Amino acid sequence: MDAAKNKNYVICPRCKQEVYKEVITCPFCRFGIMAWLAGKIDENGDATESKSE
């Protein structure tokens, strides 16, 4: 695959489809791509924020 093309795409951890990085949710399975890339949720959709305060 062309590396220049792939820098704008990621593989959705839930459905394994290639999706554009800038989408808010995966069009195939509705997984939160933007939140996942920002580190707010993990590949299971669970919050990754620290629970110890």
Side-chain angles (χ1 to χ4, degrees), residues 15-52:
C15 68
K16 307 299 183 212
Q17 296 290 327
E18 185 177 48
V19 296
Y20 188 61
K21 274 187 183 179
E22 299 300 319
V23 296
I24 295 170
T25 59
C26 176
F28 304 105
C29 68
R30 302 294 183 215
F31 180 76
I33 297 294
M34 290 293 278
W36 175 62
L37 289 174
K40 295 181 181 180
I41 61 173
D42 63 13
E43 61 275 357
N44 297 320
D46 299 324
T48 58
E49 296 186 9
S50 176
K51 292 182 175 70
S52 62

Side-chain angles (χ1 to χ4, degrees), residues 1-6 11 18:
M1 288 190 193
D2 185 27
K5 174 189 169 212
N6 288 336
I11 302 297
E18 185 177 48

